[in-house]
Amino acid sequence: DTGVSQDPRHKITKRGQNVTFRCDPISEHNRLYWYRQTLGQGPEFLTYFQNEAQLEKSRLLSDRFSAERPKGSFSTLEIQRTEQGDSAMYLCASSLAAGQTSTDTQYFGPGTRLTVL
Amino acid sequence: GDSVTQMEGPVTLSEEAFLTINCTYTATGYPSLFWYVQYPGEGLQLLLKATKADDKGSNKGFEATYRKETTSFHLEKGSVQVSDSAVYFCALRARGGSEKLVFGKGMKLTVNP
């Protein structure tokens, strides 16, 4: 399997601009997750999809953030009206869920580093 | 809510030294526990995991045992190498509900030759 890929790897934008990130999961993985990681901290969960359904969203995901996974394959994360506090590494992960038991392992992509000036 | 507390870093060791990175957790019920590693310039990789009490996860010479009584999942390696230099994250996933991973802050390890 090729791993999880993310695009772009780096994004520099000005405050107030909109940005969109893309994540391509490992093929046939039905779950896809977004996390955010700031300097010196561990990743923090943002949201996750099972197939095309968005099943959970963190309180961190303000109304400026929106995530989609329209065909159950790749996903996009859009941030509108970016703020300096949005500067972080945005990580995507995918997993293959089998039935109702949560034993699946999440595999992470390299991340997209966002800098808001 | 669920949380993970890790030993603060950074830590510098000499090659062949013994390594312990402490990790304790707070969660409802019995979560699954993980150690992830992030090598310089790379993404997070799963190092090992344990899904129930007394399970021992192991990989690449690293070990961690799920201790329910002390709510801990300490990572150990008997003899570290320069190639083990990385940031190590302890994480949990609660059982029977959210699929999210909850991570500790991470600990940076540098191993000198």
Side-chain angles (χ1 to χ4, degrees):
Chain A
D1 281 331
T2 58
V4 177
S5 61
Q6 294 186 244
D7 184 68
R9 295 290 303 275
H10 303 273
K11 179 70 177 178
I12 300 173
T13 191
K14 293 182 179 179
R15 189 176 51 188
Q17 298 295 304
N18 299 345
V19 294
T20 300
F21 310 140
R22 177 181 170 123
C23 171
D24 287 88
I26 294 171
S27 60
E28 298 180 356
H29 275 192
N30 53 359
R31 285 184 174 164
L32 187 147
Y33 310 78
W34 286 99
Y35 292 83
R36 181 172 69 185
Q37 185 177 18
T38 53
L39 198 62
Q41 302 294 318
E44 295 174 293
F45 172 79
L46 294 177
T47 188
Y48 99 93
F49 294 83
Q50 177 145 334
N51 301 312
E52 65 276 8
Q54 189 172 18
L55 296 187
E56 187 176 354
K57 292 196 293 185
S58 162
R59 289 174 299 171
L60 292 175
L61 212 67
S62 75
D63 56 5
R64 296 186 297 106
F65 288 68
S66 63
E68 294 183 342
R69 194 183 184 200
K71 297 182 180 179
S73 56
F74 73 91
S75 175
T76 57
L77 177 68
E78 180 183 17
I79 309 174
Q80 295 182 326
R81 305 181 303 281
T82 53
E83 302 172 356
Q84 288 185 325
D86 297 331
S87 296
M89 178 76 86
Y90 290 83
L91 300 172
C92 177
S94 70
S95 69
L96 178 62
Q100 300 299 311
T101 306
S102 294
T103 59
D104 52 308
T105 295
Q106 295 183 26
Y107 296 88
F108 283 79
T112 294
R113 182 169 295 283
L114 173 66
T115 301
V116 181
L117 301 176
Chain B
D2 300 337
S3 66
V4 173
T5 302
Q6 274 187 249
M7 192 174 140
E8 296 285 329
V11 168
T12 301
L13 296 175
S14 297
E15 206 165 24
E16 299 184 2
F18 182 82
L19 170 71
T20 299
I21 305 176
N22 289 342
C23 171
T24 57
Y25 67 89
T26 301
T28 304
Y30 303 114
S32 295
L33 301 172
F34 306 82
W35 278 100
Y36 277 83
V37 59
Q38 190 168 34
Y39 298 104
E42 299 184 17
L44 279 167
Q45 302 175 22
L46 179 68
L47 182 59
L48 53 83
K49 68 179 183 181
T51 57
K52 60 183 188 295
D54 301 324
D55 267 2
K56 178 185 282 188
S58 61
N59 186 26
K60 299 182 181 180
F62 290 89
E63 291 184 341
T65 301
Y66 190 141
R67 300 287 187 200
K68 181 179 66 175
E69 61 277 10
T70 54
T71 62
S72 64
F73 193 54
H74 305 322
L75 183 69
E76 296 183 337
K77 186 173 186 181
S79 176
V80 294
Q81 306 301 309
V82 172
S83 57
D84 293 326
S85 298
V87 182
Y88 292 82
F89 294 91
C90 185
L92 69 82
R93 184 177 60 220
R95 200 170 295 279
S98 173
E99 295 299 323
K100 69 181 180 184
L101 290 172
V102 176
F103 285 86
K105 290 186 176 182
M107 198 209 76
K108 183 176 181 181
L109 170 68
T110 301
V111 180
N112 292 324

